[in-house]
Amino acid sequence: MYSGINSILLQYSLLRENTQIVPFGTGLINHTWKVVSGDSEYILQKINTQIFSKPDLIASNIEALGDYLAIHYPDYLFVPAIKTISGEGMVYDQDTDSYFRVFPFVKGSHAKTVLENANEAFEGAAQFGKFTKLLSGFDVHSLKITLPYFHDLGYRYQEFEQALQKNDVERMIEAESVIAFMKEQAGIVLEYNVITNNPGFKLRVTHHDTKISNVLFDESDKAICVIDLDTIMPGYFISDVGDMMRTCLSTVSEEEKDFTKISIREDVYKAIVGGYYSQMKNELTLEEKPYFFYAGKFMIYMQALRFLTDHLNRDTYYGAKYPGHNLIRASNQVTLLQRLLEKESLLADYQFSQEFV
Ligand code: GN1
Ligand code: MG
């Protein structure tokens, strides 16, 4: 482990003789540790500045949202980073040229890497819906863009085309069938362009990383809050609903190599729609409501595209733990999308049954 961590913890006055620091979570971008200092527990995170090149924008967004929520919804559990003893929201570490921050560990909470049942999906989706709902009065345009074009599918498709032009023949041959599938399904990109040109499709305060591991649950499996606030930006509801579907519908994660294990849990689909709807029913416009099923397609397709693009770019974004890792991840997401498409006629209109619940 990086030895400079001690000097960072010192700035929070968290370094004691028996302070323990252990790696934590499964995030792909930032490095995370759990810190136990005396009776208290914390989360320490090193921000990946290759990706988040302006961490101060993240800090300023979180501060603005925190201030708004504290005034309008003082009981809402929002967990921003804690301040150093000199009042800073982050610590710049010269030795590694990187930024660190510390969050309180929410007592008695746990996160899940894979969802076990539909009830957890309902709980999680309701938390993400509640987050956007409570912030509907916040000026979404005042949020800073921490990652430009993050969920812009048109842009992601261009990145894919650029990666193809690099002509890395070996990687392109390996990925041939996945590339062909992504091109065949490019109608999903066209649909995105149509939707986002419609003013009835609203820009909202969007979390943009609603994987189930970004919801904290209490001991009785009630969801208590959402975490990982770095990608909160103006966005569309399909990002948040879709990423929940992407990470919850199957019993196995994007890391699974045995694709026969990938299938769609219909009860989980219904729970995500129901949970999100339970909070957002009166917020969503008539233009938005028909797009729940599309949300799943959109996010799974975009994640497949991002993994595939990274494979073609020699793994510079996500990194790879073994050769072909990002191609496996992309193929996993392609399989998930295929399984979802098979259920389109069964699930596509389910949200309308929630109108009168
Ligand atoms: C990244 O770092 P992590 O695991 O929270 C990525 C998400 C992807 C996800 C796929 C900033 O999230 O968009 O959905 O990996 N975050 C960024 O696991 O690119
Ligand atoms: Mg994240």
Side-chain angles (χ1 to χ4, degrees), residues 26-30 51-52 147 150-151 156 208-209 211 213-214 228 230-231 243 246-247 254-255 299 303 306-307 317-318 329:
T26 52
L28 298 182
I29 305 295
N30 295 327
I51 289 168
F52 292 104
L147 287 174
F150 188 44
H151 280 192
R156 294 294 179 191
H208 284 117
D209 194 11
K211 57 176 70 157
S213 57
N214 282 338
D228 193 359
D230 303 342
T231 52
D243 209 33
R246 187 182 78 75
T247 59
E254 66 196 19
E255 296 296 338
M299 277 307 296
Q303 193 62 58
R306 291 177 66 195
F307 284 142
Y317 190 90
Y318 286 112
R329 287 166 166 157

PDB file of all heavy atoms in Angstrom, residues 26-30 51-52 147 150-151 156 208-209 211 213-214 228 230-231 243 246-247 254-255 299 303 306-307 317-318 329, ligand 1:
ATOM      1  N   THR A  26     -15.313  -2.489  -5.099  1.00  0.00           N
ATOM      2  CA  THR A  26     -14.944  -3.070  -6.390  1.00  0.00           C
ATOM      3  C   THR A  26     -14.912  -2.027  -7.508  1.00  0.00           C
ATOM      4  O   THR A  26     -14.968  -2.371  -8.677  1.00  0.00           O
ATOM      5  CB  THR A  26     -15.975  -4.152  -6.793  1.00  0.00           C
ATOM      6  OG1 THR A  26     -17.280  -3.561  -6.710  1.00  0.00           O
ATOM      7  CG2 THR A  26     -15.917  -5.359  -5.905  1.00  0.00           C
ATOM      8  N   GLY A  27     -14.844  -0.741  -7.164  1.00  0.00           N
ATOM      9  CA  GLY A  27     -14.851   0.323  -8.187  1.00  0.00           C
ATOM     10  C   GLY A  27     -13.699   0.154  -9.167  1.00  0.00           C
ATOM     11  O   GLY A  27     -12.625  -0.333  -8.798  1.00  0.00           O
ATOM     12  N   LEU A  28     -13.941   0.551 -10.409  1.00  0.00           N
ATOM     13  CA  LEU A  28     -12.905   0.373 -11.436  1.00  0.00           C
ATOM     14  C   LEU A  28     -12.019   1.605 -11.575  1.00  0.00           C
ATOM     15  O   LEU A  28     -10.914   1.514 -12.092  1.00  0.00           O
ATOM     16  CB  LEU A  28     -13.563   0.087 -12.792  1.00  0.00           C
ATOM     17  CG  LEU A  28     -14.413  -1.179 -12.896  1.00  0.00           C
ATOM     18  CD1 LEU A  28     -14.950  -1.349 -14.316  1.00  0.00           C
ATOM     19  CD2 LEU A  28     -13.598  -2.392 -12.498  1.00  0.00           C
ATOM     20  N   ILE A  29     -12.495   2.759 -11.137  1.00  0.00           N
ATOM     21  CA  ILE A  29     -11.772   3.990 -11.459  1.00  0.00           C
ATOM     22  C   ILE A  29     -10.959   4.527 -10.273  1.00  0.00           C
ATOM     23  O   ILE A  29      -9.752   4.702 -10.378  1.00  0.00           O
ATOM     24  CB  ILE A  29     -12.771   5.073 -11.963  1.00  0.00           C
ATOM     25  CG1 ILE A  29     -13.585   4.529 -13.153  1.00  0.00           C
ATOM     26  CG2 ILE A  29     -12.058   6.363 -12.307  1.00  0.00           C
ATOM     27  CD1 ILE A  29     -12.802   4.221 -14.408  1.00  0.00           C
ATOM     28  N   ASN A  30     -11.614   4.797  -9.163  1.00  0.00           N
ATOM     29  CA  ASN A  30     -10.892   5.326  -7.999  1.00  0.00           C
ATOM     30  C   ASN A  30     -10.386   4.189  -7.119  1.00  0.00           C
ATOM     31  O   ASN A  30     -10.897   3.079  -7.174  1.00  0.00           O
ATOM     32  CB  ASN A  30     -11.820   6.224  -7.176  1.00  0.00           C
ATOM     33  CG  ASN A  30     -12.232   7.473  -7.944  1.00  0.00           C
ATOM     34  OD1 ASN A  30     -11.462   8.000  -8.739  1.00  0.00           O
ATOM     35  ND2 ASN A  30     -13.454   7.924  -7.715  1.00  0.00           N
ATOM     36  N   ILE A  51      -8.821  10.350 -15.103  1.00  0.00           N
ATOM     37  CA  ILE A  51     -10.208  10.357 -15.572  1.00  0.00           C
ATOM     38  C   ILE A  51     -10.954  11.585 -15.067  1.00  0.00           C
ATOM     39  O   ILE A  51     -11.557  12.308 -15.852  1.00  0.00           O
ATOM     40  CB  ILE A  51     -10.877   9.033 -15.176  1.00  0.00           C
ATOM     41  CG1 ILE A  51     -10.231   7.988 -16.084  1.00  0.00           C
ATOM     42  CG2 ILE A  51     -12.390   9.077 -15.344  1.00  0.00           C
ATOM     43  CD1 ILE A  51     -10.443   6.600 -15.793  1.00  0.00           C
ATOM     44  N   PHE A  52     -10.874  11.832 -13.770  1.00  0.00           N
ATOM     45  CA  PHE A  52     -11.483  13.050 -13.226  1.00  0.00           C
ATOM     46  C   PHE A  52     -10.381  14.100 -13.166  1.00  0.00           C
ATOM     47  O   PHE A  52      -9.720  14.252 -12.141  1.00  0.00           O
ATOM     48  CB  PHE A  52     -12.045  12.795 -11.829  1.00  0.00           C
ATOM     49  CG  PHE A  52     -13.237  11.870 -11.810  1.00  0.00           C
ATOM     50  CD1 PHE A  52     -13.104  10.551 -11.404  1.00  0.00           C
ATOM     51  CD2 PHE A  52     -14.493  12.319 -12.201  1.00  0.00           C
ATOM     52  CE1 PHE A  52     -14.200   9.696 -11.375  1.00  0.00           C
ATOM     53  CE2 PHE A  52     -15.590  11.477 -12.170  1.00  0.00           C
ATOM     54  CZ  PHE A  52     -15.450  10.167 -11.760  1.00  0.00           C
ATOM     55  N   LEU A 147     -17.347  15.065 -15.982  1.00  0.00           N
ATOM     56  CA  LEU A 147     -16.858  14.218 -17.086  1.00  0.00           C
ATOM     57  C   LEU A 147     -17.633  14.586 -18.347  1.00  0.00           C
ATOM     58  O   LEU A 147     -18.767  14.133 -18.524  1.00  0.00           O
ATOM     59  CB  LEU A 147     -17.087  12.734 -16.772  1.00  0.00           C
ATOM     60  CG  LEU A 147     -16.194  12.082 -15.727  1.00  0.00           C
ATOM     61  CD1 LEU A 147     -16.658  10.660 -15.454  1.00  0.00           C
ATOM     62  CD2 LEU A 147     -14.742  12.068 -16.182  1.00  0.00           C
ATOM     63  N   PHE A 150     -20.257  12.259 -20.696  1.00  0.00           N
ATOM     64  CA  PHE A 150     -20.169  10.962 -20.007  1.00  0.00           C
ATOM     65  C   PHE A 150     -21.188   9.945 -20.522  1.00  0.00           C
ATOM     66  O   PHE A 150     -20.819   8.841 -20.907  1.00  0.00           O
ATOM     67  CB  PHE A 150     -20.342  11.192 -18.504  1.00  0.00           C
ATOM     68  CG  PHE A 150     -20.076   9.983 -17.664  1.00  0.00           C
ATOM     69  CD1 PHE A 150     -18.984   9.166 -17.904  1.00  0.00           C
ATOM     70  CD2 PHE A 150     -20.916   9.671 -16.597  1.00  0.00           C
ATOM     71  CE1 PHE A 150     -18.727   8.053 -17.114  1.00  0.00           C
ATOM     72  CE2 PHE A 150     -20.667   8.563 -15.805  1.00  0.00           C
ATOM     73  CZ  PHE A 150     -19.574   7.761 -16.068  1.00  0.00           C
ATOM     74  N   HIS A 151     -22.462  10.290 -20.522  1.00  0.00           N
ATOM     75  CA  HIS A 151     -23.479   9.345 -21.001  1.00  0.00           C
ATOM     76  C   HIS A 151     -24.078   9.797 -22.327  1.00  0.00           C
ATOM     77  O   HIS A 151     -25.247   9.529 -22.605  1.00  0.00           O
ATOM     78  CB  HIS A 151     -24.575   9.147 -19.948  1.00  0.00           C
ATOM     79  CG  HIS A 151     -24.159   8.184 -18.878  1.00  0.00           C
ATOM     80  ND1 HIS A 151     -25.035   7.653 -17.965  1.00  0.00           N
ATOM     81  CD2 HIS A 151     -22.957   7.632 -18.587  1.00  0.00           C
ATOM     82  CE1 HIS A 151     -24.385   6.834 -17.149  1.00  0.00           C
ATOM     83  NE2 HIS A 151     -23.115   6.821 -17.496  1.00  0.00           N
ATOM     84  N   ARG A 156     -20.157   8.424 -27.511  1.00  0.00           N
ATOM     85  CA  ARG A 156     -19.550   7.100 -27.252  1.00  0.00           C
ATOM     86  C   ARG A 156     -19.452   6.290 -28.542  1.00  0.00           C
ATOM     87  O   ARG A 156     -18.509   5.530 -28.731  1.00  0.00           O
ATOM     88  CB  ARG A 156     -20.371   6.323 -26.215  1.00  0.00           C
ATOM     89  CG  ARG A 156     -20.362   6.939 -24.827  1.00  0.00           C
ATOM     90  CD  ARG A 156     -19.003   6.905 -24.203  1.00  0.00           C
ATOM     91  NE  ARG A 156     -18.977   7.517 -22.877  1.00  0.00           N
ATOM     92  CZ  ARG A 156     -17.863   7.793 -22.210  1.00  0.00           C
ATOM     93  NH1 ARG A 156     -16.667   7.536 -22.738  1.00  0.00           N
ATOM     94  NH2 ARG A 156     -17.910   8.335 -21.018  1.00  0.00           N
ATOM     95  N   HIS A 208     -25.823   8.996 -12.478  1.00  0.00           N
ATOM     96  CA  HIS A 208     -24.960   8.461 -13.541  1.00  0.00           C
ATOM     97  C   HIS A 208     -24.089   7.279 -13.177  1.00  0.00           C
ATOM     98  O   HIS A 208     -23.135   6.966 -13.913  1.00  0.00           O
ATOM     99  CB  HIS A 208     -24.026   9.562 -14.107  1.00  0.00           C
ATOM    100  CG  HIS A 208     -24.699  10.540 -15.016  1.00  0.00           C
ATOM    101  ND1 HIS A 208     -24.802  11.877 -14.722  1.00  0.00           N
ATOM    102  CD2 HIS A 208     -25.292  10.381 -16.228  1.00  0.00           C
ATOM    103  CE1 HIS A 208     -25.428  12.511 -15.702  1.00  0.00           C
ATOM    104  NE2 HIS A 208     -25.744  11.617 -16.618  1.00  0.00           N
ATOM    105  N   ASP A 209     -24.310   6.638 -12.056  1.00  0.00           N
ATOM    106  CA  ASP A 209     -23.538   5.407 -11.760  1.00  0.00           C
ATOM    107  C   ASP A 209     -24.356   4.614 -10.748  1.00  0.00           C
ATOM    108  O   ASP A 209     -23.921   4.353  -9.635  1.00  0.00           O
ATOM    109  CB  ASP A 209     -22.157   5.767 -11.210  1.00  0.00           C
ATOM    110  CG  ASP A 209     -21.208   4.566 -11.204  1.00  0.00           C
ATOM    111  OD1 ASP A 209     -21.545   3.523 -11.807  1.00  0.00           O
ATOM    112  OD2 ASP A 209     -20.130   4.674 -10.591  1.00  0.00           O
ATOM    113  N   LYS A 211     -25.182   1.667 -10.161  1.00  0.00           N
ATOM    114  CA  LYS A 211     -24.982   0.237  -9.903  1.00  0.00           C
ATOM    115  C   LYS A 211     -25.411  -0.059  -8.468  1.00  0.00           C
ATOM    116  O   LYS A 211     -25.354   0.828  -7.590  1.00  0.00           O
ATOM    117  CB  LYS A 211     -23.537  -0.146 -10.140  1.00  0.00           C
ATOM    118  CG  LYS A 211     -22.572   0.648  -9.304  1.00  0.00           C
ATOM    119  CD  LYS A 211     -21.162   0.184  -9.486  1.00  0.00           C
ATOM    120  CE  LYS A 211     -20.626   0.538 -10.838  1.00  0.00           C
ATOM    121  NZ  LYS A 211     -19.170   0.615 -10.918  1.00  0.00           N
ATOM    122  N   SER A 213     -24.070  -1.486  -6.125  1.00  0.00           N
ATOM    123  CA  SER A 213     -23.084  -1.283  -5.056  1.00  0.00           C
ATOM    124  C   SER A 213     -22.994   0.184  -4.636  1.00  0.00           C
ATOM    125  O   SER A 213     -22.301   0.501  -3.670  1.00  0.00           O
ATOM    126  CB  SER A 213     -21.712  -1.805  -5.477  1.00  0.00           C
ATOM    127  OG  SER A 213     -21.313  -1.175  -6.659  1.00  0.00           O
ATOM    128  N   ASN A 214     -23.687   1.069  -5.327  1.00  0.00           N
ATOM    129  CA  ASN A 214     -23.698   2.471  -4.912  1.00  0.00           C
ATOM    130  C   ASN A 214     -24.927   2.841  -4.077  1.00  0.00           C
ATOM    131  O   ASN A 214     -25.252   4.012  -3.911  1.00  0.00           O
ATOM    132  CB  ASN A 214     -23.579   3.387  -6.137  1.00  0.00           C
ATOM    133  CG  ASN A 214     -22.140   3.441  -6.635  1.00  0.00           C
ATOM    134  OD1 ASN A 214     -21.207   3.158  -5.885  1.00  0.00           O
ATOM    135  ND2 ASN A 214     -21.955   3.783  -7.896  1.00  0.00           N
ATOM    136  N   ASP A 228     -21.155   7.461  -3.926  1.00  0.00           N
ATOM    137  CA  ASP A 228     -20.375   7.635  -5.166  1.00  0.00           C
ATOM    138  C   ASP A 228     -20.962   8.786  -5.981  1.00  0.00           C
ATOM    139  O   ASP A 228     -21.627   8.595  -6.997  1.00  0.00           O
ATOM    140  CB  ASP A 228     -20.364   6.324  -5.982  1.00  0.00           C
ATOM    141  CG  ASP A 228     -19.311   6.377  -7.089  1.00  0.00           C
ATOM    142  OD1 ASP A 228     -18.636   7.420  -7.207  1.00  0.00           O
ATOM    143  OD2 ASP A 228     -19.182   5.402  -7.840  1.00  0.00           O
ATOM    144  N   ASP A 230     -19.529  11.309  -7.591  1.00  0.00           N
ATOM    145  CA  ASP A 230     -18.617  12.029  -8.497  1.00  0.00           C
ATOM    146  C   ASP A 230     -19.196  12.315  -9.875  1.00  0.00           C
ATOM    147  O   ASP A 230     -18.759  13.234 -10.555  1.00  0.00           O
ATOM    148  CB  ASP A 230     -17.335  11.217  -8.711  1.00  0.00           C
ATOM    149  CG  ASP A 230     -16.648  10.919  -7.405  1.00  0.00           C
ATOM    150  OD1 ASP A 230     -16.951  11.609  -6.412  1.00  0.00           O
ATOM    151  OD2 ASP A 230     -15.814  10.000  -7.377  1.00  0.00           O
ATOM    152  N   THR A 231     -20.120  11.481 -10.300  1.00  0.00           N
ATOM    153  CA  THR A 231     -20.626  11.647 -11.663  1.00  0.00           C
ATOM    154  C   THR A 231     -22.007  12.314 -11.675  1.00  0.00           C
ATOM    155  O   THR A 231     -22.702  12.255 -12.687  1.00  0.00           O
ATOM    156  CB  THR A 231     -20.688  10.282 -12.387  1.00  0.00           C
ATOM    157  OG1 THR A 231     -21.401   9.358 -11.563  1.00  0.00           O
ATOM    158  CG2 THR A 231     -19.313   9.736 -12.663  1.00  0.00           C
ATOM    159  N   ASP A 243     -28.939   2.023 -15.640  1.00  0.00           N
ATOM    160  CA  ASP A 243     -27.770   1.411 -15.008  1.00  0.00           C
ATOM    161  C   ASP A 243     -28.186   0.472 -13.882  1.00  0.00           C
ATOM    162  O   ASP A 243     -27.506  -0.516 -13.593  1.00  0.00           O
ATOM    163  CB  ASP A 243     -26.789   2.475 -14.495  1.00  0.00           C
ATOM    164  CG  ASP A 243     -25.348   1.962 -14.511  1.00  0.00           C
ATOM    165  OD1 ASP A 243     -24.998   1.162 -15.412  1.00  0.00           O
ATOM    166  OD2 ASP A 243     -24.573   2.347 -13.628  1.00  0.00           O
ATOM    167  N   ARG A 246     -29.016  -2.603 -15.772  1.00  0.00           N
ATOM    168  CA  ARG A 246     -27.770  -3.222 -16.237  1.00  0.00           C
ATOM    169  C   ARG A 246     -27.088  -4.033 -15.128  1.00  0.00           C
ATOM    170  O   ARG A 246     -26.544  -5.102 -15.376  1.00  0.00           O
ATOM    171  CB  ARG A 246     -26.827  -2.109 -16.732  1.00  0.00           C
ATOM    172  CG  ARG A 246     -25.566  -2.589 -17.389  1.00  0.00           C
ATOM    173  CD  ARG A 246     -24.679  -1.442 -17.795  1.00  0.00           C
ATOM    174  NE  ARG A 246     -23.929  -0.863 -16.694  1.00  0.00           N
ATOM    175  CZ  ARG A 246     -22.868  -1.412 -16.126  1.00  0.00           C
ATOM    176  NH1 ARG A 246     -22.393  -2.560 -16.551  1.00  0.00           N
ATOM    177  NH2 ARG A 246     -22.265  -0.810 -15.103  1.00  0.00           N
ATOM    178  N   THR A 247     -27.138  -3.503 -13.915  1.00  0.00           N
ATOM    179  CA  THR A 247     -26.387  -4.157 -12.846  1.00  0.00           C
ATOM    180  C   THR A 247     -27.239  -5.063 -11.954  1.00  0.00           C
ATOM    181  O   THR A 247     -26.693  -5.748 -11.098  1.00  0.00           O
ATOM    182  CB  THR A 247     -25.668  -3.113 -11.969  1.00  0.00           C
ATOM    183  OG1 THR A 247     -26.653  -2.228 -11.409  1.00  0.00           O
ATOM    184  CG2 THR A 247     -24.680  -2.298 -12.786  1.00  0.00           C
ATOM    185  N   GLU A 254     -20.996  -7.923 -14.524  1.00  0.00           N
ATOM    186  CA  GLU A 254     -20.299  -7.693 -15.799  1.00  0.00           C
ATOM    187  C   GLU A 254     -18.959  -8.435 -15.874  1.00  0.00           C
ATOM    188  O   GLU A 254     -18.370  -8.542 -16.933  1.00  0.00           O
ATOM    189  CB  GLU A 254     -20.077  -6.186 -15.990  1.00  0.00           C
ATOM    190  CG  GLU A 254     -19.110  -5.594 -14.950  1.00  0.00           C
ATOM    191  CD  GLU A 254     -19.136  -4.070 -14.849  1.00  0.00           C
ATOM    192  OE1 GLU A 254     -20.105  -3.438 -15.284  1.00  0.00           O
ATOM    193  OE2 GLU A 254     -18.164  -3.518 -14.299  1.00  0.00           O
ATOM    194  N   GLU A 255     -18.488  -8.953 -14.749  1.00  0.00           N
ATOM    195  CA  GLU A 255     -17.203  -9.667 -14.728  1.00  0.00           C
ATOM    196  C   GLU A 255     -17.351 -11.157 -15.066  1.00  0.00           C
ATOM    197  O   GLU A 255     -16.357 -11.853 -15.266  1.00  0.00           O
ATOM    198  CB  GLU A 255     -16.552  -9.545 -13.342  1.00  0.00           C
ATOM    199  CG  GLU A 255     -16.181  -8.130 -12.948  1.00  0.00           C
ATOM    200  CD  GLU A 255     -15.113  -7.500 -13.848  1.00  0.00           C
ATOM    201  OE1 GLU A 255     -14.354  -8.248 -14.502  1.00  0.00           O
ATOM    202  OE2 GLU A 255     -15.063  -6.256 -13.911  1.00  0.00           O
ATOM    203  N   MET A 299     -28.428   1.744 -21.566  1.00  0.00           N
ATOM    204  CA  MET A 299     -27.267   1.655 -20.674  1.00  0.00           C
ATOM    205  C   MET A 299     -26.434   0.398 -20.921  1.00  0.00           C
ATOM    206  O   MET A 299     -25.208   0.432 -20.818  1.00  0.00           O
ATOM    207  CB  MET A 299     -27.712   1.711 -19.202  1.00  0.00           C
ATOM    208  CG  MET A 299     -27.936   3.108 -18.686  1.00  0.00           C
ATOM    209  SD  MET A 299     -26.542   4.246 -18.921  1.00  0.00           S
ATOM    210  CE  MET A 299     -25.280   3.480 -17.917  1.00  0.00           C
ATOM    211  N   GLN A 303     -22.584   0.535 -22.174  1.00  0.00           N
ATOM    212  CA  GLN A 303     -21.493  -0.076 -21.404  1.00  0.00           C
ATOM    213  C   GLN A 303     -20.735  -1.092 -22.256  1.00  0.00           C
ATOM    214  O   GLN A 303     -19.506  -1.171 -22.200  1.00  0.00           O
ATOM    215  CB  GLN A 303     -22.030  -0.727 -20.124  1.00  0.00           C
ATOM    216  CG  GLN A 303     -20.937  -1.089 -19.136  1.00  0.00           C
ATOM    217  CD  GLN A 303     -20.153   0.117 -18.648  1.00  0.00           C
ATOM    218  OE1 GLN A 303     -20.721   1.039 -18.089  1.00  0.00           O
ATOM    219  NE2 GLN A 303     -18.852   0.122 -18.882  1.00  0.00           N
ATOM    220  N   ARG A 306     -18.495   0.908 -24.419  1.00  0.00           N
ATOM    221  CA  ARG A 306     -17.333   1.474 -23.702  1.00  0.00           C
ATOM    222  C   ARG A 306     -16.284   0.405 -23.421  1.00  0.00           C
ATOM    223  O   ARG A 306     -15.080   0.654 -23.547  1.00  0.00           O
ATOM    224  CB  ARG A 306     -17.796   2.149 -22.397  1.00  0.00           C
ATOM    225  CG  ARG A 306     -18.612   3.408 -22.632  1.00  0.00           C
ATOM    226  CD  ARG A 306     -19.117   4.005 -21.325  1.00  0.00           C
ATOM    227  NE  ARG A 306     -18.033   4.491 -20.480  1.00  0.00           N
ATOM    228  CZ  ARG A 306     -18.167   4.788 -19.187  1.00  0.00           C
ATOM    229  NH1 ARG A 306     -19.350   4.634 -18.585  1.00  0.00           N
ATOM    230  NH2 ARG A 306     -17.149   5.226 -18.493  1.00  0.00           N
ATOM    231  N   PHE A 307     -16.716  -0.789 -23.029  1.00  0.00           N
ATOM    232  CA  PHE A 307     -15.736  -1.867 -22.792  1.00  0.00           C
ATOM    233  C   PHE A 307     -15.062  -2.265 -24.104  1.00  0.00           C
ATOM    234  O   PHE A 307     -13.850  -2.471 -24.165  1.00  0.00           O
ATOM    235  CB  PHE A 307     -16.416  -3.096 -22.161  1.00  0.00           C
ATOM    236  CG  PHE A 307     -16.739  -2.961 -20.689  1.00  0.00           C
ATOM    237  CD1 PHE A 307     -17.931  -3.495 -20.160  1.00  0.00           C
ATOM    238  CD2 PHE A 307     -15.867  -2.352 -19.804  1.00  0.00           C
ATOM    239  CE1 PHE A 307     -18.240  -3.393 -18.805  1.00  0.00           C
ATOM    240  CE2 PHE A 307     -16.159  -2.242 -18.440  1.00  0.00           C
ATOM    241  CZ  PHE A 307     -17.350  -2.762 -17.949  1.00  0.00           C
ATOM    242  N   TYR A 317      -8.504   2.835 -20.507  1.00  0.00           N
ATOM    243  CA  TYR A 317      -9.462   3.468 -19.579  1.00  0.00           C
ATOM    244  C   TYR A 317      -9.746   2.574 -18.370  1.00  0.00           C
ATOM    245  O   TYR A 317      -9.501   2.956 -17.228  1.00  0.00           O
ATOM    246  CB  TYR A 317     -10.768   3.785 -20.322  1.00  0.00           C
ATOM    247  CG  TYR A 317     -11.726   4.643 -19.511  1.00  0.00           C
ATOM    248  CD1 TYR A 317     -11.676   6.030 -19.578  1.00  0.00           C
ATOM    249  CD2 TYR A 317     -12.683   4.062 -18.673  1.00  0.00           C
ATOM    250  CE1 TYR A 317     -12.545   6.826 -18.832  1.00  0.00           C
ATOM    251  CE2 TYR A 317     -13.553   4.848 -17.919  1.00  0.00           C
ATOM    252  CZ  TYR A 317     -13.476   6.228 -18.008  1.00  0.00           C
ATOM    253  OH  TYR A 317     -14.332   7.002 -17.254  1.00  0.00           O
ATOM    254  N   TYR A 318     -10.245   1.382 -18.612  1.00  0.00           N
ATOM    255  CA  TYR A 318     -10.665   0.517 -17.499  1.00  0.00           C
ATOM    256  C   TYR A 318      -9.530  -0.341 -16.953  1.00  0.00           C
ATOM    257  O   TYR A 318      -9.669  -0.936 -15.881  1.00  0.00           O
ATOM    258  CB  TYR A 318     -11.802  -0.418 -17.941  1.00  0.00           C
ATOM    259  CG  TYR A 318     -13.127   0.287 -18.078  1.00  0.00           C
ATOM    260  CD1 TYR A 318     -13.726   0.455 -19.307  1.00  0.00           C
ATOM    261  CD2 TYR A 318     -13.775   0.786 -16.951  1.00  0.00           C
ATOM    262  CE1 TYR A 318     -14.947   1.103 -19.435  1.00  0.00           C
ATOM    263  CE2 TYR A 318     -14.996   1.434 -17.063  1.00  0.00           C
ATOM    264  CZ  TYR A 318     -15.574   1.593 -18.304  1.00  0.00           C
ATOM    265  OH  TYR A 318     -16.783   2.239 -18.407  1.00  0.00           O
ATOM    266  N   ARG A 329     -15.759  -8.450 -20.874  1.00  0.00           N
ATOM    267  CA  ARG A 329     -16.786  -7.586 -20.267  1.00  0.00           C
ATOM    268  C   ARG A 329     -17.784  -7.108 -21.336  1.00  0.00           C
ATOM    269  O   ARG A 329     -18.996  -7.094 -21.106  1.00  0.00           O
ATOM    270  CB  ARG A 329     -16.129  -6.372 -19.623  1.00  0.00           C
ATOM    271  CG  ARG A 329     -15.385  -6.661 -18.326  1.00  0.00           C
ATOM    272  CD  ARG A 329     -14.521  -5.466 -17.993  1.00  0.00           C
ATOM    273  NE  ARG A 329     -14.010  -5.454 -16.630  1.00  0.00           N
ATOM    274  CZ  ARG A 329     -12.914  -4.771 -16.267  1.00  0.00           C
ATOM    275  NH1 ARG A 329     -12.221  -4.090 -17.160  1.00  0.00           N
ATOM    276  NH2 ARG A 329     -12.517  -4.783 -15.016  1.00  0.00           N
TER     277      ARG A 329
HETATM  278  C1  GN1 B   1     -16.889   2.817 -13.658  1.00  0.00           C
HETATM  279  O1  GN1 B   1     -15.388   3.219 -11.038  1.00  0.00           O
HETATM  280  P1  GN1 B   1     -16.757   2.636 -11.008  1.00  0.00           P
HETATM  281  O2  GN1 B   1     -16.692   1.172 -10.910  1.00  0.00           O
HETATM  282  O3  GN1 B   1     -17.612   3.286  -9.955  1.00  0.00           O
HETATM  283  C2  GN1 B   1     -17.433   3.858 -14.622  1.00  0.00           C
HETATM  284  C3  GN1 B   1     -18.916   3.637 -14.832  1.00  0.00           C
HETATM  285  C4  GN1 B   1     -19.120   2.228 -15.382  1.00  0.00           C
HETATM  286  C5  GN1 B   1     -18.497   1.207 -14.437  1.00  0.00           C
HETATM  287  C6  GN1 B   1     -18.561  -0.183 -14.997  1.00  0.00           C
HETATM  288  C7  GN1 B   1     -16.163   7.343 -14.125  1.00  0.00           C
HETATM  289  O4  GN1 B   1     -17.480   2.989 -12.400  1.00  0.00           O
HETATM  290  O5  GN1 B   1     -19.406   4.559 -15.766  1.00  0.00           O
HETATM  291  O6  GN1 B   1     -20.467   1.968 -15.520  1.00  0.00           O
HETATM  292  O7  GN1 B   1     -17.126   1.515 -14.175  1.00  0.00           O
HETATM  293  N1  GN1 B   1     -17.158   5.180 -14.084  1.00  0.00           N
HETATM  294  C8  GN1 B   1     -16.472   6.074 -14.803  1.00  0.00           C
HETATM  295  O8  GN1 B   1     -18.253  -1.068 -13.966  1.00  0.00           O
HETATM  296  O9  GN1 B   1     -16.116   5.858 -15.955  1.00  0.00           O
END
